[in-house]
Amino acid sequence: MITNDAYHRLAACELRPSMQRLAIMDYLLTHATHPTIDDIHKDLSKKMPHLSKTTLYNTLRSLAKGNAAQMLTIDDHRVCYDGDIRPHVHFMCERCGRVIDLFDVPAPDKSLISDIDGNIVTDAQLYYKGICTECQKSEEHA
């Protein structure tokens, strides 16, 4: 079932709410796992077998451009997406690859920053890399 939040998020960035776009936006809003295009395609193609990666890629780019989702480029090997557009920091575990939201760490808020030394700011992201607590625990028990 598609949430009203997905519809409103699409409307806010002036995207026509097609069934595919609604499904993609809803997926981001209901999966806080920072999925990649491959993750989203694998899950959504079960219900929407005609969903192409091109449509998915174009929709995700439009959602990021319209500030309906965040495109994260923490890792050189993958791009992942976040439906939570509140300013927050991300942490990527170098062992398991999981991306974790950190809401208790001060984050840059691009809505409050218009320029820095005359340079126009269009995006602001802060992320950390290291070893997550789960991987640390598994190392301790090994």
Side-chain angles (χ1 to χ4, degrees), residues 28 32-37 60-61 64 69-86 88-92 98-102 110 123-127:
L28 291 177
T33 57
H34 305 91
T36 64
I37 287 178
L60 290 168
R61 293 289 254 181
Q70 292 187 55
M71 181 173 66
L72 307 173
T73 55
I74 296 172
D75 188 314
D76 292 340
H77 306 289
R78 68 179 179 170
V79 174
C80 52
Y81 294 86
D82 191 351
D84 193 330
I85 55 174
R86 296 175 292 170
H88 63 282
V89 174
H90 292 96
F91 178 91
M92 187 187 89
R98 190 166 60 121
V99 178
I100 302 165
D101 291 323
L102 302 175
K110 65 184 172 189
D123 192 16
Q125 294 183 17
L126 176 62
Y127 61 85

Side-chain angles (χ1 to χ4, degrees), residues 55-73:
T55 297
L56 186 54
Y57 176 80
N58 289 336
T59 299
L60 290 168
R61 293 289 254 181
S62 295
L63 292 173
K65 186 176 180 182
N67 294 317
Q70 292 187 55
M71 181 173 66
L72 307 173
T73 55

Side-chain angles (χ1 to χ4, degrees), residues 1 11 15 19 26 29-30 42 47 49-50 57 61 75 105 115 122:
M1 180 175 166
L15 284 175
M19 288 306 295
D26 189 65
L29 292 171
T30 58
K42 179 182 163 196
K47 294 179 182 177
H50 298 294
Y57 176 80
R61 293 289 254 181
D75 188 314
V105 177
D115 74 86
T122 60

